Amino acid sequence: MKAGIVGLPNVGKSTLFNCLSNAKAQSANFPFCTIEPNIGVVNVPDHRLEKLEGLVNPQQVVPATVEIVDIAGLVKGASKGEGLGNQFLGNIRETDAILHVLRCFDNDNVVHVDGSVDPIRDKETIDIELQLKDLESIEKRLDKASRAAKTGNKEAQKEVAVLSSVKVGLESGKSVRAIAVNDEDRLEFVKPLQLITDKPVMYVCNVDERAAVEGNAYVQEVREAVKDEQAEVIYLAVGTEADIAELETYEERQLFLEDLGLTEPGSAKLIRGAYKLLDLETYFTAGEKEVRAWTINKGATAPQAAGVIHTDFEKGFIRAEVIAFDDYVSFGSEAKVKEAGKIRVEGKDYVVKDGDVMHFRFNV
């Protein structure tokens, strides 16, 4: 599962990506590992993992991760191949969610590609290019479906009706995620097209240090502009985050954060937000050798969760022994949880809850 960082050139995308790549400097418990120059696997900060570590004292701790992709800046005309348009659009299509960075600070020393600071205009510039590309995809599919519909194919006729309404929405300047389509039709006809503006999005407002705690007027403008998109908006001072990342010790970083009135780096909030945006949840396994956070899709059943560890666990699934995270912390150990009768035995239909501590029984 990948979240792609997008935005106009020079809005802070690469600086943000570099902050994430220095997550080890921000929190010793959550190191970062670069796979390629523009792709990184970032550990998800999770206080629950730290609590389990303190109770179990394992030999190692393995956090959940999310993949972040730094995508080249987009310019006007990208949908027609301008700049790195084709490469940009190809890269973003391969991601599962979008982190859209918007410049929300004034600084005459930092040149803006359009000559002035206007996050709403910047958002619309990228939206238009992505919508034009989606329109191209819709028209291709509509052409094929229309030919089938003319033969009396009922399913094709329904598809034409749904995609035609999406086309009208795109032509009016709406992103696909903001166009009203019922869930069943969206799943059947829209989702398979992997349209770019149908991907979940988080708007990341890059503010200056003065706005790091409470945001600013630009952030409020963005919130108002995206209120119909069901999109999350967060703000962080990317330049300040970069300064924090360069400090050598945890104590220095904490002092810097306290001086700003922050309890943690903004990048930690962004990473958790990206995890949530991808519709991911976490369950834990806890033992003397290892405490580990495992990533699952929201709504996963116990066998599917077991399959994340190994496919044999899913194939031969018998049952899951489940402890609620709060019970584990409250009683202090697995043994005491057992004494209290708080371990549940769940079968194949059990939907895993975020934070469950689990053991699986299987037979292959």
Side-chain angles (χ1 to χ4, degrees):
M1 301 290 282
K2 299 178 184 178
I5 301 176
V6 306
L8 291 175
N10 215 26
V11 296
K13 298 186 311 302
S14 294
T15 304
L16 176 61
F17 184 81
N18 289 337
C19 287
L20 299 179
S21 72
N22 284 323
K24 183 176 181 179
Q26 294 168 7
S27 174
N29 290 329
F30 301 104
F32 169 101
C33 177
T34 300
I35 298 175
E36 294 177 12
N38 65 333
I39 301 177
V41 175
V42 183
N43 294 334
V44 180
D46 193 328
H47 71 279
R48 298 172 301 181
L49 195 64
E50 297 172 41
K51 284 189 176 180
L52 288 173
E53 179 184 10
L55 292 171
V56 178
N57 193 27
Q59 295 174 21
Q60 67 171 345
V61 177
V62 184
T65 61
V66 62
E67 197 164 287
I68 304 291
V69 186
D70 184 19
I71 297 172
L74 177 145
V75 296
K76 290 178 182 177
S79 59
K80 303 299 180 185
E82 292 294 327
L84 294 172
N86 291 329
Q87 178 182 335
F88 173 98
L89 294 163
N91 288 340
I92 196 172
R93 195 180 293 281
E94 293 174 4
T95 65
D96 302 289
I98 297 170
L99 307 177
H100 187 158
V101 181
L102 296 167
R103 176 173 169 176
C104 293
F105 66 90
D106 295 302
N107 187 334
D108 292 338
N109 295 320
V110 181
V111 177
H112 190 288
V113 67
D114 286 326
S116 62
V117 177
D118 186 341
I120 307 306
R121 178 202 59 210
D122 295 353
K123 172 189 175 304
E124 289 173 352
T125 295
I126 285 192
D127 283 351
I128 288 169
E129 297 304 326
L130 301 185
Q131 289 161 7
L132 286 171
K133 201 65 180 177
D134 280 349
L135 193 57
E136 185 181 300
S137 299
I138 286 282
E139 287 172 342
K140 285 180 181 177
R141 181 63 197 174
L142 259 175
D143 184 55
K144 183 176 181 180
S146 296
R147 289 198 299 271
K150 288 176 182 177
T151 68
N153 185 310
K154 299 290 186 184
E155 189 73 5
Q157 290 171 355
K158 186 177 180 182
E159 182 177 8
V160 168
V162 172
L163 296 186
S164 293
S165 70
V166 174
K167 180 174 182 285
V168 169
L170 282 166
E171 289 172 335
S172 70
K174 288 185 178 180
S175 292
V176 175
R177 73 180 75 87
I179 297 171
V181 179
N182 72 55
D183 291 344
E184 186 178 327
D185 289 343
R186 185 178 288 274
L187 187 63
E188 185 174 358
F189 301 118
V190 181
K191 287 294 182 185
L193 299 180
Q194 295 183 301
L195 300 172
I196 299 172
T197 66
D198 194 33
K199 297 178 187 293
V201 62
M202 177 194 294
Y203 292 99
V204 182
C205 298
N206 182 9
V207 301
D208 57 25
E209 187 174 306
R210 293 170 298 177
V213 177
E214 296 183 356
N216 58 23
Y218 289 132
V219 176
Q220 294 307 315
E221 289 177 18
V222 173
R223 289 191 193 281
E224 180 63 24
V226 306
K227 63 183 181 182
D228 295 330
E229 287 192 44
Q230 298 180 330
E232 186 173 352
V233 177
I234 69 168
Y235 56 87
L236 67 159
V238 174
T240 304
E241 295 280 329
D243 292 339
I244 294 172
E246 290 178 3
L247 296 175
E248 292 185 2
T249 68
Y250 175 79
E251 289 74 19
E252 287 177 311
R253 292 188 289 278
Q254 287 304 112
L255 284 173
F256 198 140
L257 288 168
E258 287 172 13
D259 286 343
L260 293 173
L262 299 172
T263 57
E264 66 175 354
S267 55
K269 179 171 64 174
L270 185 148
I271 294 165
R272 285 196 299 270
Y275 194 74
K276 182 179 177 182
L277 193 66
L278 290 163
D279 218 16
L280 302 176
E281 291 185 336
T282 300
Y283 76 87
F284 302 100
T285 53
E288 291 183 2
K289 287 187 177 180
E290 178 183 89
V291 167
R292 181 187 285 256
W294 298 91
T295 298
I296 54 173
N297 290 310
K298 189 174 183 179
T301 61
Q304 290 169 333
V308 173
I309 299 176
H310 197 287
T311 54
D312 284 350
F313 282 32
E314 181 173 4
K315 291 174 184 175
F317 179 89
I318 299 172
R319 66 179 185 273
E321 296 172 0
V322 184
I323 304 171
F325 173 79
D326 288 343
D327 285 341
Y328 203 114
V329 173
S330 176
F331 290 99
S333 71
E334 186 174 327
K336 290 181 179 178
V337 172
K338 282 182 179 178
E339 287 176 14
K342 291 290 186 177
I343 291 184
R344 306 191 314 274
V345 176
E346 303 286 0
K348 293 182 177 180
D349 296 330
Y350 177 68
V351 176
V352 178
K353 294 180 177 62
D354 186 53
D356 279 348
V357 182
M358 307 184 75
H359 290 301
F360 298 104
R361 303 298 179 188
F362 69 101
N363 182 29
V364 177

